[in-house]
Every structure is written in structure tokens, then in C-alpha cells.
Amino acid sequence: MYDGFMDTADGIFSGRTRERKLEIMQDSHVGTNAVIGAIILILAKVTLLGSFTPAVLGPLLVTMYVATRTLMVIYILKFPNARPGGLGEMFKADGKPVYLILALVFCAALLFWMGLFFCKLALVSCVPCIALAFYLKWGLGGLTGDTFGFLTECGNVFVLFLADVLLQILTRSRDFLGVHENLQNVLVLLETDGAQQSGNGQLLLTVDVSVHHIVDVRCKLNPRALEGDDAG
């Protein structure tokens, strides 16, 4: 897979004509674009894989491999070949429509068994993968055996990235719902407590019933006023 990814990166990022891109992809030498692309790919996969817990990582890897390999059947059978006599044409010659049906049924059954979240993840991941396949078809005139590897490796990154995004959205939604539910519980308790106090005839507000004496402060501060009061 990495070999096809690197050959395709060399070709499509060369900025040459369609024919020259296919020649570069067929060349056994490794170019700068291939090395840079491989480094970015490895860093992206390592970073994304490290963001998942072991409990999530197991079923996620199963979903990733099942989805990307099922898409490869679609690439082979439903997209034209860019170069006659290549590896892609060999796969396409031996392929039958029933293979696609079997692949889709097996994929759907396995993902359904994995859970609703992984079913949605696989469906969402198909969108950028198919879009990238059409981009390669537009740039190369079709797909080759190298592009199958390129699409599969990119599909792996798409699945991991979208899984990380969806899990973050679900986590934040659950946190928000938890805070909202706690606020509702507090309001219910306050209303219940208020109703009980009102039913028992208890006052909700404290009342100060002590007797206050009015004192003229000026008399204490004015000695002459005090002398006048004593004389009287």
C-alpha cells in the first residue's frame, strides 16, 4: 500500500501532463514528493491512533480495514483504467459484479454487528474517499494499481480523523446534556422543597421581630446637647 501511495504522490504532485504523470508513477525511483507524502502519512496515522483509548481502538481498526477494503472493490469495478495493461486492468478483468454485491453485504453485516456508531462512521468516510477517487480519475484519466494503494491509505486517515471528530462531538454533547440534566434536577428539588414548606405553613423568608430603640446619635457626639438635657 505504501508503495502505491508513494508512486501516486510522485505523479499527481509533479505538475506535469497526464501522460507524464503516469510515466512518473511507473518509474521505480522514489522522488521528493513520495518521501514527503510518506512522512506526512505516517505522522498523521501515528497521531490519530494515539488519540484513542484501547477500548475504542480495536473496533475502530476493524471498521477502518473493512470500509477501505470494500471501497477498493468499488474502485476496481466501477472506475476506468488509466493505463492499459497495468495492474488495475488485471484486477478489473477478473472482477465480476457479484463480487461487489458480496463485498457490500459482508461489509454492511459486519459494521451492523459492530454498532450504529461504526456504521455511521463508515458511511461518512465514504464521501471523501469517493471524492478523491473522482479527483484521481479527472487528473489521470482513470485509476491504476498504484492509485488503489493511495486511496486505501488516504481512506485509513479519513476514517481515523472522522472518528476522532465524531467522538469529540459526542463527548461534548453528553457533557452538555449532563449539565442541563443537573440543572433541571436542581430546579425540581427547589420547587419541591418550596411546595413542602408552603404546605406546612412555614415562611420561606426570615423576619426580624426584635424591638429597636431610636437613638439620637447627635446627642452623644455633642456635649452641649447632653448638658442641656441634664439641666432640664
Side-chain angles (χ1 to χ4, degrees):
M1 296 297 176
Y2 282 95
D3 178 64
F5 176 88
M6 296 175 69
D7 287 340
T8 304
D10 258 343
I12 63 175
F13 296 125
S14 63
R16 307 296 179 84
T17 62
R18 177 181 299 180
E19 292 75 16
R20 181 56 183 157
K21 289 179 181 179
L22 292 174
E23 292 177 1
I24 293 174
M25 292 170 58
Q26 204 170 9
D27 191 355
S28 59
H29 295 85
V30 178
T32 305
N33 292 327
V35 176
I36 295 175
I39 293 174
I40 294 174
L41 175 66
I42 294 173
L43 290 177
K45 293 174 73 173
V46 171
T47 302
L48 290 170
L49 289 171
S51 64
F52 300 104
T53 60
V56 177
L57 189 57
L60 177 59
L61 290 177
V62 175
T63 303
M64 180 185 73
Y65 284 112
V66 170
T68 54
R69 271 56 181 183
T70 303
L71 284 171
M72 187 181 292
V73 181
I74 299 177
Y75 303 148
I76 294 173
L77 297 180
K78 296 300 180 181
F79 283 82
N81 295 318
R83 183 173 52 238
L87 188 61
E89 185 177 1
M90 181 185 69
F91 288 145
K92 192 178 185 67
D94 295 334
K96 299 179 181 179
V98 68
Y99 295 161
L100 178 59
I101 297 174
L102 292 175
L104 293 176
V105 170
F106 176 78
C107 177
L110 186 57
L111 292 177
F112 181 78
W113 177 75
M114 296 289 295
L116 182 60
F117 171 79
F118 296 102
C119 291
K120 294 180 179 180
L121 174 62
L123 289 175
V124 174
S125 302
C126 289
V127 177
C129 291
I130 296 297
L132 183 58
F134 275 105
Y135 171 77
L136 293 177
K137 175 188 173 183
W138 172 77
L140 301 175
L143 301 182
T144 66
D146 290 330
T147 59
F148 297 154
F150 180 85
L151 289 169
T152 301
E153 291 298 335
C154 290
N156 292 336
V157 175
F158 290 150
V159 173
L160 295 174
F161 174 76
L162 291 174
D164 185 50
V165 172
L166 292 177
L167 287 175
Q168 289 186 12
I169 293 174
L170 288 176
T171 302
R172 293 179 182 178
S173 299
R174 289 177 181 175
D175 292 340
F176 175 77
L177 292 176
V179 172
H180 182 67
E181 184 177 357
N182 290 334
L183 289 176
Q184 285 184 334
N185 293 335
V186 171
L187 292 175
V188 170
L189 289 175
L190 290 175
E191 292 178 357
T192 304
D193 187 49
Q196 290 178 353
Q197 291 183 359
S198 300
N200 295 331
Q202 299 178 357
L203 294 176
L204 298 179
L205 298 176
T206 58
V207 180
D208 189 1
V209 294
S210 60
V211 178
H212 297 275
H213 298 278
I214 301 176
V215 179
D216 190 358
V217 180
R218 291 175 300 174
C219 293
K220 290 186 176 182
L221 298 179
N222 192 347
R224 294 180 179 178
L226 292 174
E227 292 176 359
D229 291 342
D230 293 340

